[in-house]
Amino acid sequence: MKRLRAFTLLEALLALVLVALLGSFAFYILQDLQAATSNLGGRFGKEEELLWFSTAVRADFDRSDAVRTAPNKDVLCQSTTDTVYYAVVHNGIERRTSDGEVHVFPIPVYNTEVIADLAPDLVSLWRIDLTDETHSLPLAFRKVYATADRIPLPPNHAYSDSLQH
C-alpha cells in the first residue's frame, strides 16, 4: 500500500491560526490608517478655511484707506469703493461687505486683540489667537498708514487744499 503525501490535521490547523492572526493584524492596521486619513481630511479643511480667511483679510487691509475698530474688537476696513466689516461670532469670524455679501469662516477664535495707531480708532495691528495653547502661533494682520493719515492736517495745508479741488 502506497502512502499519499498530505498535510496532517495539526499542520492545517496551525496554518489556519497563522492566517487568522495575520488577518487580524491587517484589520487593525487598515482601521488605524482609515482613521488617520479621515483626520487628515478634517485638518486639511480647517487649514484651507484658514488660508481663505487670511487671504481675504490681507486683501481687505491692503485695499483699505483706513482700518477702524469698534469697542467690541470688531474691525472695519474702509476704502473709497467699499467697506468690509469683520466680527467674531460664536462659530467663527463673519465677513460682511457693503454690498450685502456675508461669509462666515468657521475658525475657532480664542481671543482677539486690536492695537490702535496714534489716531484713536485706526487699527495698526489685529491679532487673533485661534486656541488657548501657548505653542500655537496667532494670526496677525498689520496696516501701515502714512503720516498724513495718522495726524489730521490743518485746513490751510497744501495737500488738504488739493483734495478739495
Side-chain angles (χ1 to χ4, degrees), residues 28-78:
Y28 286 115
I29 289 171
L30 289 175
Q31 191 176 22
D32 287 344
L33 185 62
Q34 183 182 15
T37 303
S38 67
N39 287 343
L40 182 64
R43 284 196 313 256
F44 176 73
K46 290 177 187 174
E47 293 293 325
E48 185 180 28
E49 198 64 39
L50 193 59
L51 178 66
W52 282 113
F53 169 71
S54 179
T55 303
V57 172
R58 289 188 196 287
D60 291 335
F61 268 48
D62 288 343
R63 268 195 323 251
S64 64
D65 299 325
V67 178
R68 303 193 183 280
T69 181
N72 57 356
K73 299 183 183 179
D74 293 344
V75 174
L76 183 71
C77 300
Q78 295 174 319

Side-chain angles (χ1 to χ4, degrees), residues 42-51 53-54 87-94 104-113 126-133 136-139 141:
R43 284 196 313 256
F44 176 73
K46 290 177 187 174
E47 293 293 325
E48 185 180 28
E49 198 64 39
L50 193 59
L51 178 66
F53 169 71
S54 179
V88 177
V89 293
H90 70 283
N91 57 345
I93 298 178
E94 181 181 84
V104 176
F105 298 95
I107 299 171
V109 177
Y110 176 69
N111 186 26
T112 61
E113 179 182 6
W126 186 30
R127 181 175 180 242
I128 303 167
D129 294 317
L130 301 179
T131 62
D132 59 350
E133 301 170 3
S136 69
L137 295 174
L139 293 174
F141 304 98

Side-chain angles (χ1 to χ4, degrees), residues 3-34:
R3 206 165 168 208
L4 297 173
R5 287 187 57 115
F7 291 109
T8 64
L9 184 58
L10 183 62
E11 289 172 337
L13 287 175
L14 185 60
L16 285 175
V17 166
L18 288 176
V19 167
L21 190 61
L22 288 174
S24 66
F25 286 151
F27 173 75
Y28 286 115
I29 289 171
L30 289 175
Q31 191 176 22
D32 287 344
L33 185 62
Q34 183 182 15

